Amino acid sequence: MASHDSIPPWSRYVAIGDSFSEGLWDPYPYDDGTRAPAGTETTAVQRGWTDRLADHLAERRGDEGLEYANLAIRGKKLRQIVDEQLDVALAMQPDLVSIVGGGNDILRPQADIDGLTATLEDAVARLRASGADVLMGTGFRAGGALSLTSGRVGQYNATIWSIARRHGAYVLDNWGLGALHDWRLWSDDRIHLTDEGHRRVANAALVGLGLAPDDDTFDDVLPAATARRLRERAREDAQWARAHVMPWVQRRLRGTSSGDGRTPKWPTPLPWPPSER
């Protein structure tokens, strides 16, 4: 059984991926120390489950130390993640790499699931050949308007487990996190998690790596919420469509991405946690 006392074997962890691994929307405080607002209003540096996982690993390694880099950038499709981030990560000679991507591809009805899985498996094979351990992540079980993607996500997830078996990789089981079925763990854009959602995913990542979670209750459901009135839900749905769906559609029509012009938040391996955080 996994133990809190076991020292994780990894000394250099690199995260690659999209907005999920960049950490949207789980902001650090602003540089002046003031608390950043939750949700998509914030311009603060994002924390997310990968930084939180690095926190856990560093704490458990103690004097052994951990170095951590995060190359993930919001809006990236899987092929972009592999083409733009994989070689950079390999050059850092990590012994643990998390690669989670494909969600931005699967949002599109014409997504090529076979092509996605082939791209992912090639990347995992390259990482494993370098000697690095690999942590992949399954897609979420979406609700509401995004439930139309569930079939594609389920097909993609099945192949992720197969890739893990073939290459000796680890899997973060986002699909199986029952707590994430609660809308209160999702931000106002309904695609990215809140800080509490990311905290729970970081614990699930520990479990995926064969370690004990820091919080044994990480998958417990929240107390029952007060039912919202139909009119309130309709007003929220309309606001969500104006604030998030329409800009996404407009970016697709223009051929642009929310990640255009952005650079990684932690582009080189840092002793973790950094003193300024």
Side-chain angles (χ1 to χ4, degrees):
M1 179 174 292
S3 169
H4 288 279
D5 298 327
S6 60
I7 298 176
W10 307 287
S11 61
R12 180 172 292 173
Y13 165 37
V14 177
I16 65 177
D18 54 24
S19 57
F20 176 55
S21 296
E22 185 186 343
L24 276 61
W25 294 105
D26 176 18
Y28 285 105
Y30 290 118
D31 289 341
D32 63 4
T34 58
R35 183 180 177 86
T40 54
E41 295 179 4
T42 181
T43 58
V45 175
Q46 303 300 304
R47 185 180 184 183
W49 71 273
T50 50
D51 285 23
R52 291 175 180 272
L53 175 59
D55 290 341
H56 293 312
L57 296 176
E59 181 178 7
R60 296 185 189 193
R61 284 182 58 80
D63 292 340
E64 298 291 328
L66 177 77
E67 292 185 341
Y68 167 59
N70 189 314
L71 306 178
I73 294 178
R74 66 193 70 176
K76 296 297 183 182
K77 297 181 184 179
L78 183 61
R79 172 51 65 185
Q80 293 174 308
I81 293 168
V82 172
D83 288 348
E84 298 169 11
Q85 301 174 23
L86 182 61
D87 285 340
V88 180
L90 284 167
M92 297 176 184
Q93 298 183 310
D95 49 16
L96 176 63
V97 177
S98 60
I99 174 169
V100 184
N104 289 313
D105 302 83
I106 290 173
L107 283 173
R108 293 156 171 81
Q110 71 276 19
D112 177 8
I113 303 301
D114 290 339
L116 283 177
T117 56
T119 298
L120 179 61
E121 183 157 16
D122 286 346
V124 171
R126 288 187 61 195
L127 289 165
R128 294 293 291 134
S130 77
D133 282 323
V134 178
L135 175 66
M136 295 180 288
T138 63
F140 297 104
R141 183 180 303 180
L146 296 179
S147 61
L148 293 174
T149 67
S150 291
R152 297 193 293 275
V153 174
Q155 182 183 350
Y156 187 50
N157 288 350
T159 62
I160 285 174
W161 289 103
S162 297
I163 292 169
R165 175 183 55 79
R166 286 193 290 269
H167 296 277
Y170 298 98
V171 178
L172 159 59
D173 185 13
N174 292 306
W175 180 275
L177 271 176
L180 296 186
H181 298 169
D182 193 311
W183 61 269
R184 289 171 291 177
L185 295 181
W186 294 85
S187 70
D188 52 340
D189 66 8
R190 304 184 184 180
I191 295 177
H192 301 98
L193 296 170
T194 62
D195 56 351
E196 177 62 13
H198 279 284
R199 186 191 70 79
R200 290 173 180 249
V201 169
N203 275 273
L206 288 170
V207 173
L209 289 169
L211 303 172
D214 262 24
D215 178 5
D216 291 332
T217 67
F218 74 93
D219 200 22
D220 287 0
V221 299
L222 297 176
T226 302
R228 292 172 296 161
R229 295 183 177 180
L230 181 60
R231 181 177 298 178
E232 180 183 1
R233 294 202 304 271
R235 184 168 59 248
E236 291 174 353
D237 289 346
Q239 170 61 23
W240 170 70
R242 286 193 301 271
H244 302 292
V245 177
M246 289 306 300
W248 182 80
V249 171
Q250 289 167 355
R251 286 195 299 272
R252 283 198 63 192
L253 293 174
R254 294 194 300 264
T256 60
S257 166
S258 58
D260 289 348
R262 291 189 174 272
T263 56
K265 60 178 181 178
W266 314 125
T268 58
L270 299 170
W272 199 261
S275 56
E276 64 268 22
R277 292 294 173 189

